[in-house]
Amino acid sequence: MMLNMSLTTPFAVYVHWPFCLSKCPYCDFNSHVRHGGVDEAKFVRAYETEIAAIAARVPGRTVSSIFFGGGTPSLMQPSSVQAILDCIGKHWTIAPDVEVTLEANPTSVEATRFRGYRTAGVNRVSLGVQALDDVALKELGRLHSAQEALDAVAVARSIFDRYSFDLIYARPRQSLDAWEAELKRAIAEAAEHLSLYQLTIEPDTPFFGLHKAGKLNVPDEDLARDLYDLTQTVCDAAGLPAYEISNHARPGAECRHNLVYWRGHDYAGIGPGAHGRLTLDGRRIATETEKRPEPWLMRVDAQGTGITLEEKLTAGETADEYLLMGLRLAEGIDVARYSALSGRPLDAKRISILREEGAVETTAEGRLRVTQSGFPLLDAVVADLAA
Ligand SMILES: C[S@@+](CC[C@H](N)C(=O)[O-])C[C@H]1O[C@@H](n2cnc3c(N)ncnc32)[C@H](O)[C@@H]1O
Ligand code: SF4
């Protein structure tokens, strides 16, 4: 199927800042520590070069959201953020209601830059609070205390109309009662959006080694499931239902940038290790850039982008990606769009078995979605339905 990209289709730009002050022992994101400092100006010039090169390939788009993720983008100077935003605005049209999010770590030093980010054009921050418990924060290797995180949230609230923060639950030794109290306290501090992630033990992290050695007492499957169910109940009651498996918002306050990924729209990935999805000549292309910051710089110098992998997705791959991403959303997927993308409908028999098991349901609008009780089994449901 030829994909048609109208000017009104959402188009997002993701900018990855790959540096952190220290590496958290659970994290496998593309983040690097540079004790000798980072030549920020040099990186910003390379981001500008990469933006220009990608915009030359997908010109004429209207940018509906920009997301500075990391790593720790709140280590960037506001002037760097400004320069990158100006460059995006030079090469594409910026929608009047563009959402510009920056991920920030909640230390006091970083919070002092919030006003500068707002002046630069950022209109939403997402803070990595992770826990409101000092013992847990220490175990997670975080550099902030619970009070410092709450202070940073208060600064965010005073500067931005829209802010969100992240918490990690199903942490070592966490009980249902303790999580309920912590979550309620977080909700009292939240505005319209919260990201609540179950701790994942990622391979090649220090937590993985500790877990394997039996030194990390994380909740078993049953307790993790109860913690997940409790999270849904508490958030629903507070008017913050899950619109995605780990993301909660008041209706209308969803992160528009993340919706671009989950709804299968295009996004440019800028910076070390950023992924992109672009429609070129009617075909969907997956891009990936060099992950290591300095080799990424060298590649941008040599070829204009840090892209190391560029793959034309087949119709089946494009459709399955839509299924995989779309079923994470409470709104589910448009089955007609799946059929149009893949050239064949979803298997009605498999859907009916999953429906009988209570894992999926069809909405009043005819969309297919995973039920709340089916969400913890999402991977299995997707595997069952994919081509
Ligand atoms: C890419 S991180 C960047 C945010 C920022 N650097 C910070 O740490 O505050 C985005 C979020 O992913 C979540 N995260 C990272 N590793 C995780 C893991 N192993 N399990 C669950 N959540 C994780 C954390 O909540 C984190 O805030
Ligand atoms: S969780 Fe955030 S601060 Fe910690 S290493 Fe990962 S990206 Fe960096």
Side-chain angles (χ1 to χ4, degrees):
M1 175 204 176
M2 281 285 279
L3 300 169
N4 180 16
M5 277 301 125
S6 86
L7 290 181
T8 52
T9 306
F11 175 66
V13 181
Y14 175 76
V15 181
H16 190 81
W17 185 253
F19 302 109
C20 291
L21 286 183
S22 65
K23 185 85 197 173
C24 306
Y26 55 86
C27 175
D28 79 339
F29 281 86
N30 185 33
S31 63
H32 306 261
V33 179
R34 293 287 178 268
H35 295 296
V38 172
D39 186 343
E40 199 168 312
K42 198 168 174 183
F43 275 92
V44 171
R45 281 195 299 277
Y47 284 95
E48 290 169 338
T49 304
E50 189 166 57
I51 289 164
I54 294 184
R57 299 184 68 191
V58 282
R61 296 292 181 89
T62 299
V63 177
S64 53
S65 70
I66 301 168
F67 194 101
F68 289 86
T72 307
S74 53
L75 296 176
M76 293 170 90
Q77 295 303 322
S79 57
S80 300
V81 172
Q82 173 97 60
I84 293 168
L85 289 175
D86 288 349
C87 182
I88 294 171
K90 201 168 107 192
H91 292 283
W92 286 297
T93 303
I94 304 285
D97 62 344
V98 66
E99 175 189 273
V100 185
T101 306
L102 183 132
E103 261 180 358
N105 282 25
T107 69
S108 51
V109 179
E110 286 156 274
T112 58
R113 299 194 190 109
F114 285 3
R115 199 163 289 284
Y117 294 141
R118 197 182 99 163
T119 307
V122 172
N123 53 27
R124 182 175 182 276
V125 283
S126 172
L127 294 150
V129 169
Q130 320 307 5
L132 290 175
D133 172 319
D134 284 340
V135 174
L137 285 168
K138 200 154 188 235
E139 191 168 20
L140 291 172
R142 302 297 292 183
L143 301 177
H144 59 266
S145 64
Q147 190 52 52
E148 212 176 351
L150 292 172
D151 292 346
V153 169
V155 176
R157 183 185 302 123
S158 72
I159 295 177
F160 296 99
D161 288 339
R162 300 182 67 200
Y163 67 90
S164 175
F165 58 89
D166 301 350
L167 292 177
I168 296 179
Y169 69 99
R171 303 189 306 255
R173 302 175 310 283
Q174 194 172 36
S175 70
L176 280 166
D177 285 350
W179 172 232
E180 183 170 1
E182 187 176 351
L183 180 57
K184 286 184 171 164
R185 193 161 161 229
I187 287 171
E189 297 290 336
E192 48 164 34
H193 193 285
L194 269 182
S195 299
L196 304 168
Y197 300 108
Q198 279 203 36
L199 176 65
T200 313
I201 306 296
E202 303 286 358
D204 300 325
T205 59
F207 265 24
F208 187 80
L210 284 173
H211 187 244
K212 217 168 135 196
K215 291 182 183 158
L216 204 66
N217 177 11
V218 287
D220 63 17
E221 216 175 285
D222 287 345
L223 178 54
R225 173 70 206 236
D226 290 346
L227 286 161
Y228 171 82
D229 289 343
L230 173 68
T231 304
Q232 310 315 309
T233 309
V234 172
C235 287
D236 283 352
L240 286 166
Y243 67 96
E244 189 266 350
I245 190 158
S246 307
N247 282 280
H248 297 253
R250 300 200 192 289
E254 298 83 3
C255 172
R256 298 207 287 271
H257 184 84
N258 287 340
L259 286 177
V260 165
Y261 303 153
W262 298 320
R263 287 180 176 163
H265 297 302
D266 275 13
Y267 52 98
I270 308 293
H275 290 216
R277 290 289 182 279
L278 301 169
T279 304
L280 291 172
D281 303 326
R283 282 289 293 277
R284 196 150 159 90
I285 309 280
T287 63
E288 240 176 85
T289 57
E290 165 64 50
K291 287 178 86 171
R292 296 163 302 161
E294 292 76 15
W296 172 83
L297 271 182
M298 283 161 62
R299 216 171 243 275
V300 175
D301 257 356
Q303 63 177 39
T305 75
I307 291 177
T308 47
L309 185 108
E310 185 165 316
E311 194 187 349
K312 275 193 182 134
L313 300 179
T314 63
E317 285 166 343
T318 304
D320 280 347
E321 201 164 81
Y322 174 57
L323 182 80
L324 178 81
M325 300 304 270
L327 285 182
R328 298 169 63 126
L329 289 170
E331 69 183 23
I333 61 158
D334 174 353
V335 284
R337 183 168 166 210
Y338 177 90
S339 307
L341 287 171
S342 78
R344 58 163 195 84
L346 282 164
D347 187 332
K349 216 158 121 198
R350 286 193 214 168
I351 294 180
S352 97
I353 295 172
L354 287 168
R355 193 181 284 124
E356 272 165 37
E357 289 169 351
V360 299
E361 62 192 5
T362 302
T363 67
E365 303 79 42
R367 298 175 70 91
L368 181 72
R369 73 171 178 211
V370 175
T371 59
Q372 193 150 317
S373 60
F375 262 125
L377 314 168
L378 181 63
D379 290 348
V381 173
V382 171
D384 214 18
L385 289 175

